[in-house]
């Protein structure tokens, strides 16, 4: 998709200041503040599902630690009065170099959570990626937030692949994100310890957690049941999936171990929009993605939620970028500050995605919370650009970093 085929800006895609935050949101000064607030707001199993990772959390911790391995080496006495953090990506202009990563079952964290995230991103001029394990139909989300990207978890079943790809195209999605790092379900012991399970099993513990979080119980769970019925996995296949309390959920998430590069070639032949491969960590896989016609890749270890001990994406970036050629390389996992965004861009990423903090922001403040979180991260990027001595993101490179 060429840049000339789409307008550089539209009214909906232009960043605008969020409304003045409420008193509660005004106390949120960084993305990490939302996590502490969400812990108090959400039932323990729901918070544990979002916050947890796989096995011993080695990758979860390493994702954050990786940013500390680099220090900035700024330039001074540079006129930085013309700063702009907008970026052109796949023929569209975005107002900041970060977006919202796909997160499953967000509608259990906030009422209509997937729509809340996508609409906030759309209004603030950044992309959001709708998860294939969302509890809101992909058609409903893009109707509320045009330009949203769709992330698919695909089984190695050609008929089901074809049907889901066709459904996304009919709905109006232009960007398909194929997540490839989940051939089998991860060992998420943390979920078990906090009482979360798939399927979600009613229990006294779960009931107690809900009763002790009345704002979540009334404002999210009961409101959803009354207005929309029992949540279902809506976007795993071309047809509606199982409800979150159904034992067949486990069957729906199996058979992904068959997925291979031949399936990518098949999808590329059908999908006329932008195709992105998410979950790349090895340079050779970046080369294969390019050879199979991908338009871009996202370097990711799934936020530490799949293979525990996998290399942090920030460390994998230079090698992946070297094999990607002209194909845009993006990154997620562990980004929490504007400085993190700029470090990733200096190491070769064109764009980054942030997950958990925006989920927490939705839980704490709904769409206003997400907009506030976007504003905080955007302001950090702007300040750090000034202090680094740059006006444009394309001035970033590894010369502005040093080993910490």
């Amino acid at each position: 998709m060429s840049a000339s085929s789409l307008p550089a800006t539209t009214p909906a895609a232009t960043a605008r200041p969020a409304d003045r935050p409420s008193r509660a949101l005004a106390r949120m000064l960084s993305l990490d503040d939302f996590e502490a607030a969400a812990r108090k707001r959400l039932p323990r199993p729901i918070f544990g599902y979002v916050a947890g990772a796989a096995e011993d959390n080695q990758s979860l911790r390493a994702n954050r630690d990786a940013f500390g391995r680099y220090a900035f080496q700024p330039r001074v006495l540079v006129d930085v009065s013309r700063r702009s953090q907008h970026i052109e990506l796949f023929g569209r202009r975005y107002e900041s170099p970060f977006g919202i990563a796909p997160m499953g079952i967000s509608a259990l964290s906030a009422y209509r959570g997937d729509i809340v995230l996508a609409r906030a991103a759309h209004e603030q001029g950044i992309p959001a990626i709708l998860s294939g394990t969302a509890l809101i139909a992909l058609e409903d989300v893009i109707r509320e937030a045009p330009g949203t990207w769709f992330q698919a978890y695909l089984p190695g079943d050609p008929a089901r692949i074809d049907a889901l790809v066709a459904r996304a195209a009919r709905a109006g999605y232009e960007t398909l994100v194929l997540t490839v790092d989940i051939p089998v379900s991860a060992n998420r012991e943390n979920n078990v310890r906090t009482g979360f399970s798939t399927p979600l099993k009613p229990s006294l513990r779960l009931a107690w957690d809900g009763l002790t979080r009345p704002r979540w119980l009334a404002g999210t769970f009961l409101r959803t049941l009354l207005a929309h019925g029992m949540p279902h996995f809506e976007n795993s296949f071309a047809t509606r999936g199982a409800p979150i309390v159904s034992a067949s959920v486990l069957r729906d998430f199996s058979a992904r171990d068959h997925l291979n590069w031949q399936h990518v070639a098949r999808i590329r032949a059908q999908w006329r929009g932008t195709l992105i491969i998410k979950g790349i960590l090895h340079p050779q896989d970046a080369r294969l993605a390019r050879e199979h016609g991908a338009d871009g890749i996202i370097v990711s270890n799934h936020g530490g939620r799949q293979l525990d001990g996998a290399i942090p994406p920030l460390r994998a970036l230079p090698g992946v970028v070297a094999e990607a050629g002209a194909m845009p390389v993006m990154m997620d996992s562990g980004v929490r500050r504007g400085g993190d965004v700029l470090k990733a861009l200096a190491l070769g990423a064109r764009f980054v995605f942030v997950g958990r903090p925006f989920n927490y922001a939705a839980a704490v403040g709904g769409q206003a919370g997400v907009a506030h979180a976007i504003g905080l991260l955007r302001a950090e990027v702007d300040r750090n650009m000034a202090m680094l001595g740059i006006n444009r993101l394309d001035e970033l490179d590894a010369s502005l970093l040093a080993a910490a």
Side-chain angles (χ1 to χ4, degrees):
M1 188 176 297
S2 66
S4 61
S5 67
L6 293 166
T9 58
T10 64
T14 302
R16 64 188 190 193
D19 294 335
R20 178 176 295 179
S22 67
R23 184 176 301 177
L25 290 180
R27 292 195 295 268
M28 303 293 108
L29 305 181
S30 71
L31 295 190
D32 281 344
D33 289 343
F34 285 102
E35 180 172 358
R39 184 188 294 272
K40 297 176 182 178
R41 178 71 63 93
L42 294 173
R44 186 167 177 257
I46 305 301
F47 179 83
Y49 169 79
V50 178
E55 295 185 350
D56 299 320
N57 292 331
Q58 294 180 52
S59 290
L60 181 67
R61 292 190 299 270
N63 289 343
R64 286 297 302 134
D65 293 344
F67 289 96
R69 299 179 64 165
Y70 295 94
F72 287 121
Q73 191 164 298
R75 302 298 305 273
V76 297
L77 294 176
V78 178
D79 180 352
V80 291
S81 62
R82 302 178 305 280
R83 297 186 307 284
S84 172
Q85 57 183 277
H86 87 265
I87 187 169
E88 303 288 336
L89 187 67
F90 305 121
R92 288 190 178 273
R93 171 181 167 128
Y94 295 110
E95 298 303 319
S96 291
F98 59 84
I100 300 180
M103 291 170 284
I105 68 170
S106 295
L108 287 186
S109 297
Y111 176 70
R112 307 301 276 169
D114 302 293
I115 289 177
V116 161
L117 291 163
R119 199 159 50 196
H122 176 67
E123 293 186 1
Q124 293 297 316
I126 64 172
I129 309 176
L130 173 66
S131 172
T133 54
L135 302 177
I136 299 177
L138 58 88
E139 293 84 359
D140 294 342
V141 175
I142 200 166
R143 189 180 305 117
E144 295 280 346
T148 300
W149 302 7
F150 176 60
Q151 174 234 23
Y153 291 114
L154 294 173
D157 180 339
R160 284 184 164 181
I161 290 173
D162 294 351
L164 182 57
V165 170
R167 178 187 172 192
R170 285 195 306 273
Y173 286 87
E174 297 178 348
T175 304
L176 178 66
V177 180
L178 176 60
T179 293
V180 295
D181 59 356
I182 185 167
V184 295
S185 297
N187 179 21
R188 298 185 186 171
E189 299 165 2
N190 295 292
N191 290 354
V192 178
R193 293 190 175 98
T194 58
F196 184 89
S197 63
T198 305
L200 196 61
K201 298 176 181 177
S203 66
L204 289 175
R205 180 178 180 180
L206 186 61
W208 175 252
D209 277 314
L211 290 171
T212 55
R213 304 293 194 281
R215 283 185 295 180
W216 173 87
L217 183 63
T220 300
F221 189 67
L222 293 180
R223 187 179 177 190
T224 298
L225 286 180
L226 290 173
H228 308 283
M230 179 62 66
H232 285 60
F233 288 97
E234 299 283 358
N235 306 317
S236 298
F237 305 110
T239 56
R240 192 182 201 196
I244 58 172
V245 295
S246 170
S248 65
V249 166
L250 292 175
R251 185 182 67 246
D252 286 354
F253 289 105
S254 62
R256 290 175 181 156
D257 52 355
H258 291 75
L259 197 66
N260 59 61
W261 288 107
Q262 291 180 348
H263 296 107
V264 174
R266 182 185 182 95
I267 295 165
R268 177 72 282 179
Q270 300 174 62
W271 183 255
R272 296 186 178 182
T274 301
L275 179 63
I276 295 169
I277 309 296
K278 178 180 181 293
I280 299 288
L281 289 172
H282 199 290
Q284 291 184 24
D285 287 334
R287 176 177 52 81
L288 286 168
R290 174 167 50 84
E291 292 174 352
H292 283 79
D295 297 301
I297 58 177
I298 300 177
V299 182
S300 171
N301 66 12
H302 218 100
R305 297 168 72 86
Q306 279 301 110
L307 175 62
D308 198 26
I311 183 173
L314 192 74
R315 287 184 58 193
L317 257 181
V320 170
V321 169
E323 290 291 338
M327 182 174 57
V329 175
M330 297 157 281
M331 195 206 86
D332 71 16
S333 303
V335 176
R336 295 295 181 272
R337 287 283 188 180
D340 300 340
V341 175
L342 297 179
K343 286 177 182 180
L345 269 56
L347 291 172
R350 286 285 305 281
F351 205 83
V352 304
F353 287 92
V354 183
R356 291 178 177 94
F358 289 128
N359 188 299
Y360 300 141
V364 171
Q367 185 173 333
V370 181
H372 184 59
I374 292 169
L376 290 174
L377 193 57
R378 176 173 283 152
E380 290 178 0
V381 170
D382 177 70
R383 280 193 298 269
N384 287 346
M385 288 178 66
M387 288 187 280
L388 277 171
I390 62 172
N391 284 290
R392 303 185 317 274
L393 296 175
D394 60 12
E395 296 176 278
L396 277 168
D397 59 37
S399 70
L400 295 175
L401 299 179

